[in-house]
Amino acid sequence: MQPIQFANADTLSLRQLDELNKAPKGTSFRVFRRCEAQLQEGQDFFYLAADEHKALIDSLKASGQIYATTVNLVLLTRSGYERMIALSRADQTSQTPPAAPPSAD
């Protein structure tokens, strides 16, 4: 998978992350949205507004690196992806109900 160069960093789009993880379309976006407040823009991810980055977004659509329906683009750095996965796993663990205590029988 070819990383997308942006701001001197190798990044991956949410489409690329879905493909990398063999996940349905939108999975990486939903995980990103849950973790976004704990990620640092400019370090963990880049948000590229459509009106400012139209040419890049159009070229990435044409190359198939992002979804054709993408309006504003989110690109994750390697550290951002790793942090997002760690946060997502921690969130899943905290939502798992505790195991039932062993029976006293």
Side-chain angles (χ1 to χ4, degrees):
M1 180 166 300
Q2 181 68 31
I4 299 166
Q5 287 288 313
F6 186 80
N8 296 319
D10 286 340
T11 66
L12 292 176
S13 70
L14 297 174
R15 177 183 187 156
Q16 290 173 311
L17 293 176
D18 283 344
E19 290 173 359
L20 180 70
N21 292 299
K22 297 176 179 45
K25 178 182 179 181
T27 302
S28 294
F29 175 75
R30 286 187 297 277
V31 173
F32 172 75
R33 295 297 290 171
R34 284 195 308 267
C35 300
E36 183 178 6
Q38 297 167 331
L39 298 173
Q40 184 176 355
E41 188 173 356
Q43 179 180 338
D44 295 322
F45 73 96
F46 298 98
Y47 175 83
L48 284 67
D51 58 343
E52 295 174 32
H53 299 278
K54 182 178 179 4
L56 175 61
I57 291 170
D58 288 345
S59 83
L60 292 173
K61 283 180 186 181
S63 70
Q65 291 178 285
I66 64 174
Y67 289 114
T69 56
T70 299
V71 177
N72 299 304
L73 179 61
V74 174
L75 298 172
L76 273 99
T77 63
R78 177 183 296 272
S79 63
Y81 173 65
E82 291 169 353
R83 184 159 166 70
M84 185 174 80
I85 294 303
L87 289 166
S88 178
R89 286 184 181 146
D91 186 48
Q92 288 173 350
T93 301
S94 70
Q95 292 179 12
T96 302
S103 147
D105 296 0

